[in-house]
Amino acid sequence: MLHYAIVFLIIAIIAAVLGFGGIAGTAAWIAKVLFVIFLILAIVSFFRRST
């Protein structure tokens, strides 16, 4: 999950540098969503293992 978030972030940066604003915004949004999902799953996993 974190890997895909980083990949979409890199795609967003490259698209922004090349001037593709719409694609860059969409890729950045997807990267943010994937990162939030990763954080939620990591926290849930941490609490399930500690109990």
Side-chain angles (χ1 to χ4, degrees):
M1 190 74 61
L2 184 60
H3 173 75
Y4 291 120
I6 293 171
V7 168
F8 274 103
L9 179 64
I10 292 171
I11 291 172
I13 291 171
I14 292 172
V17 168
L18 295 177
F20 298 106
I23 295 172
T26 303
W29 180 79
I30 292 172
K32 279 192 262 186
V33 169
L34 289 175
F35 185 71
V36 168
I37 292 171
F38 165 75
L39 283 179
I40 291 169
L41 291 176
I43 291 169
V44 167
S45 174
F46 175 74
F47 284 119
R48 288 193 74 200
R49 290 179 190 241
S50 65
T51 57

